[in-house]
Amino acid sequence: MKDVTKLILEDGAVQDRRIYWDQDIYEQELEQIFARAWQFLAHESQIPNAGDFITTRMGEDNVIVARQPDGKIKAFINSCPHRGNVVCHADTGNARAFTCAYHGWAFGLDGELATVPLEHDAYYDAIERPRYAMHPVAKVESYKGLVFGTFDAGAPSLRDYLGDMAWYMDTFLDVPGGIELLGPPMKSILNCNWKVPVENFIADGYHVGWAHAAALKAIESPLSPLAGNQAYDVNSGLQVATRGGHGFGVIWDAAAAIHPDGGAYREWLAKRTPIMRERLGEWRSRFYNGHWDASIFPNCSFLYGTNTWKLWLPMGPHNIEVWTWTLVEKDMPAELKQMMVATNMMTFGTAGMLETDDGENMEQCTGSNRGWVTRRGKLYSGMGQVREGVHAELPGIVGKGIVCETSNRGFYRRWAELMSGRSWEEISREPHYAPNREVA
Amino acid sequence: MNAPTQIKTPANPRYVDRDTLFEVERFLIREARMLDEERFREWWQTQLTEDIHYVLPVREIRMRADKKPVGSNPGAFVFNDNYAMLDMRIRRLETGLVWMEDPQNYIRRFVSNIDAAWADVDGEVDAWSNFIVYRNRRQRDETVVWGTKQCRLRKVDGQWKLAGRTILVDQRVVLDKNLYFFL
């Protein structure tokens, strides 16, 4: 295994550029991160009925996620254990069985081998069917409708894995009626390393005013003054890195800010806020009205408010697929849901006005590391490190302002922990990064 | 005007006469050149009706037996634009602050297989065509998008205008970093 101890330095603030380029580091990520960490599979609303399924990937492993007759959700690798063929080629659907196109082996909704052509005449009934089930995803759990899976039976529970991030995400998951993801997902590609968009969403409030200057001007939203960094107030938001590599930044009172006509959404928020305050308290009712950029370790990101939900699926060290859904509250009226979808598509869809700015930068940030000398350099995300600290009421490491790189450092600290190959148990016993400073 | 989310030749198409077909072909070809030349504002002002609906639905890969219609879900559009939204997209380009467009991209549109029939609204035409759009950027960044489109054309003051467009891109995974260009 590659020694990764020198790749992330200064509590996550310095990254070796080889982590965005080298094939052997990428292979180690597939093994130490994507074969171990919990990854987003689906929202329960996508597969409401028995037999409903979607296909997705964990790392580069193809998986089927299927609703069982008893209502539970199972996931297994979408590859026939006979000769390896992909079994299901649809994005989604409803099935009673999954039948391989090569020799006709058929698997139940639970991935168990159900029928084998010529089982009697050619196998002489000697095949032990239970040995040839489709390889199961070891654990599948739902957190308030968000379904995740891990290949590692020894991984902590999903709730423990999400840790304090779950406490923050309850802000929008605990709304009456819950949430849903509207699709089908858009899919496109980027020639970038998978970590680049994750760090963009988890921490990068810095690029907003500059990279998105044109879009901010054109949209004429309350965020337009940010264009060209004309206006920035350090007290307009904060950033949080939670233990486990998750994190987000929030701009206060800006949930509806990117919507060209956010009136109906603002009314909705105003109506729901007293309920949320009652349920979750003052802080999280503030978060409910804020605009978030966020990532869940390793490769799921979202913008609460806008309301985009993203998966960055690795396809080698320099290529990803981008999958995009719209997150809405289930109880929103149909017209408001339509508006949420329209804004998400207009800003962060495949032809999105802001998505377009980001994709270009992500590709160029990756591609420059092709240079042998370039690749031996380091990158720096130390912004705000001298001011971050602990907060009396908020869990995690808290950084001041949305323009800050606190949660980027948290992401890379977790990356380094898992990449070292140490067990979950060992990692959890180690002392956490904890700046000895109180943040107001 | 509501653009459909699927493209389908009607059962008994009333194909247009030769002169009309010629006008439709010229409209689509001249529009493509106008866009290649980045005359976006002129396109918006002179080629579109104010009730335009410009649609690019997301298609899913499904089994043939799965008959759920494409685009039935509100979340299934790359473009779902009206006149004002197209204006906003063009205003973004006009700010001069779109770094990925500077230096300029080379985009070349090819339109083919053009056919047209009278629509169910008097004096309106449905035109079908296939397209290839080639994009070359920076040093060696090269992508191609293939697809088909159905356009609703309406004659306003003696000039054809685009009142609706449904675009289907023949890629489930868009093999490009974005589709921020008009098709």
Side-chain angles (χ1 to χ4, degrees):
Chain A
M1 200 166 69
K2 196 173 178 82
D3 178 13
V4 295
T5 52
K6 300 270 182 335
L7 296 176
I8 304 295
L9 301 169
E10 300 180 30
D11 296 318
V14 172
Q15 302 89 32
D16 189 299
R17 296 175 73 142
R18 284 173 294 187
I19 70 171
Y20 304 101
W21 192 263
D22 285 3
Q23 185 74 36
D24 57 347
I25 294 176
Y26 175 72
E27 293 295 333
Q28 195 161 321
E29 287 178 330
L30 291 181
E31 179 185 355
Q32 299 300 336
I33 294 176
F34 290 97
R36 293 212 282 166
W38 286 93
Q39 285 146 81
F40 175 73
L41 298 177
H43 188 270
E44 288 192 29
S45 61
Q46 293 172 258
I47 44 172
N49 305 311
D52 286 352
F53 70 88
I54 58 112
T55 54
T56 182
R57 289 201 300 277
M58 296 168 63
E60 295 209 42
D61 293 293
N62 295 316
V63 296
I64 298 174
V65 184
R67 179 77 73 171
Q68 306 298 304
D70 66 1
K72 292 203 176 76
I73 293 171
K74 287 192 175 174
F76 33 87
I77 289 185
N78 186 6
S79 175
C80 182
H82 175 217
R83 304 312 308 150
N85 193 26
V86 170
V87 174
C88 178
H89 291 282
D91 289 337
T92 183
N94 183 280
R96 274 171 298 185
F98 300 101
T99 305
C100 179
Y102 198 178
H103 303 94
W105 280 27
F107 302 85
L109 283 173
D110 54 1
E112 293 294 326
L113 179 57
T115 56
V116 178
L118 304 179
E119 186 171 6
H120 176 70
D121 294 328
Y123 284 103
Y124 313 105
D125 297 316
I127 184 168
E128 295 174 52
R129 280 201 235 154
R131 287 177 62 187
Y132 303 104
M134 296 217 262
H135 184 100
V137 173
K139 295 207 242 182
V140 176
E141 291 174 18
S142 167
Y143 185 72
K144 300 185 179 177
L146 297 168
V147 182
F148 291 73
T150 171
F151 286 119
D152 184 357
S157 72
L158 175 61
R159 180 62 186 80
D160 286 350
Y161 177 85
L162 293 172
D164 290 332
M165 190 65 178
W167 185 86
Y168 285 107
M169 286 170 62
D170 285 348
T171 297
F172 58 89
L173 294 175
D174 274 347
V175 293
I179 63 153
E180 60 184 333
L181 288 188
L182 300 180
M186 296 185 171
K187 297 183 180 180
S188 57
I189 63 164
L190 281 177
N191 294 311
C192 74
N193 183 271
W194 66 273
K195 297 184 289 299
V196 180
V198 174
E199 61 175 68
N200 175 275
F201 273 66
I202 201 170
D204 203 324
Y206 193 22
H207 80 294
V208 176
W210 192 258
H212 299 308
L216 292 174
K217 282 195 168 182
I219 290 173
E220 292 175 359
S221 83
L223 292 184
S224 295
L226 291 175
N229 293 322
Q230 293 297 304
Y232 172 65
D233 172 8
V234 72
N235 296 312
S236 62
L238 52 80
Q239 202 172 79
V240 179
T242 70
R243 175 88 176 131
H246 324 297
F248 68 103
V250 64
I251 308 177
W252 301 124
D253 299 316
I258 204 79
H259 296 266
D261 180 14
Y265 185 26
R266 272 187 284 274
E267 280 172 34
W268 175 262
L269 291 167
K271 200 172 83 182
R272 300 280 260 197
T273 297
I275 305 170
M276 300 312 289
R277 190 179 292 118
E278 176 76 17
R279 285 188 170 195
L280 299 172
E282 187 57 38
W283 269 109
R284 285 184 291 176
S285 75
R286 267 190 98 185
F287 283 113
Y288 179 68
N289 282 280
H291 184 280
W292 306 25
D293 53 283
S295 293
I296 303 166
F297 191 93
N299 64 331
C300 180
S301 297
F302 62 90
L303 301 173
Y304 168 73
T306 292
N307 239 358
T308 200
W309 187 272
K310 298 265 190 192
L311 258 186
W312 320 104
L313 293 166
M315 297 285 284
H318 324 129
N319 193 264
I320 63 167
E321 278 183 22
V322 180
W323 292 14
T324 306
W325 295 261
T326 305
L327 181 157
V328 296
E329 294 183 25
K330 256 184 206 156
D331 287 357
M332 283 177 174
E335 314 82 70
L336 183 54
K337 285 183 187 175
Q338 291 273 7
M339 197 278 280
M340 302 300 284
V341 168
T343 301
N344 179 23
M345 302 296 111
M346 188 61 157
T347 53
F348 284 94
T350 305
M353 297 179 60
L354 290 90
E355 177 92 349
T356 304
D357 301 320
D358 287 329
E360 171 75 358
N361 292 330
M362 290 167 189
E363 289 196 348
Q364 302 296 333
C365 286
T366 300
S368 58
N369 298 307
R370 174 186 291 273
W372 193 91
V373 177
T374 309
R375 206 184 314 153
R376 264 139 197 86
K378 308 275 189 202
L379 296 179
Y380 177 58
S381 51
M383 181 187 277
Q385 197 168 19
V386 295
R387 286 286 173 88
E388 71 191 8
V390 293
H391 190 282
E393 291 167 82
L394 299 173
I397 310 295
V398 176
K400 287 183 77 70
I402 187 82
V403 180
C404 183
E405 287 165 347
T406 288
S407 39
N408 207 26
R409 293 185 285 276
F411 173 80
Y412 283 107
R413 288 194 296 271
R414 177 52 134 197
W415 184 90
E417 284 174 344
L418 283 178
M419 283 290 278
S420 71
R422 300 199 298 285
S423 70
W424 295 103
E425 175 72 358
E426 286 171 285
I427 290 170
S428 72
R429 277 201 308 264
E430 281 159 14
H432 302 181
Y433 168 75
N436 184 21
R437 189 181 304 111
E438 189 100 9
V439 174
Chain B
M1 129 116 230
N2 272 329
T5 55
Q6 284 173 296
I7 294 182
K8 208 172 161 213
T9 310
N12 297 298
R14 294 183 294 133
Y15 288 113
V16 298
D17 54 281
R18 190 165 64 176
D19 284 353
T20 305
L21 183 60
F22 180 78
E23 289 175 14
V24 167
E25 285 178 0
R26 286 310 101 189
F27 177 90
L28 292 171
I29 287 165
R30 285 172 188 160
E31 182 205 20
R33 192 164 77 248
M34 189 179 281
L35 292 169
D36 285 356
E37 292 170 0
E38 301 193 327
R39 290 146 61 195
F40 306 122
R41 181 55 60 192
E42 182 185 347
W43 175 70
W44 186 80
Q45 283 169 340
T46 66
Q47 305 296 299
L48 313 180
T49 66
E50 291 186 18
D51 63 345
I52 187 171
H53 193 187
Y54 184 97
V55 176
L56 198 169
V58 174
R59 296 201 277 181
E60 271 186 314
I61 294 180
R62 306 239 197 92
M63 303 312 285
R64 286 182 185 271
D66 188 346
K67 299 296 186 200
K68 218 163 38 160
V70 171
S72 58
N73 189 305
F77 297 93
V78 174
F79 284 96
N80 191 6
D81 286 13
N82 58 24
Y83 197 54
M85 290 163 90
L86 291 168
D87 176 42
M88 188 155 64
R89 289 186 191 275
I90 294 167
R91 276 194 280 116
R92 171 176 174 270
L93 295 169
E94 289 169 340
T95 60
L97 303 173
V98 181
W99 316 127
M100 88 161 269
E101 300 282 343
D102 193 8
Q104 184 188 351
N105 296 207
Y106 300 114
I107 299 185
R108 203 65 63 201
R109 294 162 178 81
F110 299 83
V111 190
S112 79
N113 303 49
I114 299 171
D115 203 357
W118 296 108
D120 46 11
V121 177
D122 212 27
E124 296 192 356
V125 161
D126 282 322
W128 298 274
S129 60
N130 293 345
F131 64 81
I132 304 170
V133 179
Y134 172 82
R135 178 154 71 154
N136 191 298
R137 312 179 49 261
R138 302 292 193 239
Q139 301 290 330
R140 310 165 42 124
D141 187 348
E142 181 179 82
T143 54
V144 182
V145 179
W146 313 75
T148 189
K149 58 190 175 186
Q150 178 173 321
C151 305
R152 174 61 64 93
L153 301 181
R154 183 190 308 151
K155 221 165 205 175
V156 181
D157 298 331
Q159 192 207 322
W160 288 107
K161 292 202 174 197
L162 185 66
R165 172 166 286 166
T166 302
I167 303 156
L168 297 183
V169 168
D170 296 325
Q171 294 173 350
R172 172 59 183 104
V173 179
V174 172
L175 299 174
D176 198 346
K177 62 175 112 329
N178 63 62
L179 288 176
Y180 200 97
F181 42 87
F182 303 111
L183 292 164

